[in-house]
């Protein structure tokens, strides 16, 4: 791997999900050297939207891909945000579920 390589995250890890990065997201390597077996990876969104994260990722949790598609990141982000919000609502107020179904 080297700087500017397009990569895909191939593993789930709480350290990544805490930053909003999920298995299947695509990014690019920001620096030309790795540190302790990790690479600094940027996970962008489309257009002028703020990047999802720029975090250190273990080399074994990445695979090089020919090109990156930031739309994949937006789809995964939306999927996990929706499922996380729904679960949060149900666990916080299970007795008041009817107001969320209207």
């Amino acid at each position: 791997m080297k700087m500017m390589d397009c990569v895909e995250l191939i593993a789930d890890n709480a350290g990544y999900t805490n930053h909003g990065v999920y298995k299947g997201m695509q990014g690019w390597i920001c620096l030309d050297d790795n540190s302790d077996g990790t690479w600094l990876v940027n996970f962008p969104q489309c257009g002028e939207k703020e990047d999802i994260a720029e975090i250190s990722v273990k080399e074994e949790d990445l695979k090089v891909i020919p090109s990156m598609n930031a739309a994949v990141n937006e789809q995964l982000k939306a999927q996990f945000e929706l499922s996380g919000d729904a679960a949060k609502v149900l666990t916080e107020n299970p007795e008041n579920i009817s107001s969320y179904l209207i």
Side-chain angles (χ1 to χ4, degrees), residues 42-52 70-71 74-75 77:
N42 178 278
F43 293 92
Q45 295 189 83
C46 294
E48 298 296 318
K49 295 178 184 174
E50 187 175 323
D51 294 335
I52 294 170
E74 291 185 10
Q75 291 170 350
K77 180 182 175 190

Side-chain angles (χ1 to χ4, degrees), residues 1-95:
M1 290 184 189
K2 62 187 182 310
M3 187 166 115
M4 300 300 293
D5 275 352
C6 295
V7 292
E8 180 178 325
L9 186 65
I10 59 171
D12 284 320
N13 178 311
Y16 308 149
T17 58
N18 288 341
H19 294 282
V21 178
Y22 304 98
K23 182 178 178 180
M25 285 191 168
Q26 300 176 2
W28 59 279
I29 296 177
C30 303
L31 298 175
D32 60 358
D33 62 339
N34 69 15
S35 174
D36 298 323
T38 64
W39 294 95
L40 184 63
V41 180
N42 178 278
F43 293 92
Q45 295 189 83
C46 294
E48 298 296 318
K49 295 178 184 174
E50 187 175 323
D51 294 335
I52 294 170
E54 189 170 285
I55 59 172
S56 293
V57 180
K58 295 177 187 175
E59 185 167 356
E60 62 264 19
D61 293 345
L62 297 169
K63 77 172 180 180
V64 176
I65 55 176
S67 63
M68 183 184 64
N69 182 355
V72 170
N73 296 347
E74 291 185 10
Q75 291 170 350
L76 287 168
K77 180 182 175 190
Q79 175 186 344
F80 281 97
E81 285 179 348
L82 179 62
S83 65
D85 288 346
K88 182 179 177 184
V89 166
L90 290 175
T91 57
E92 287 180 353
N93 295 316
E95 70 281 349

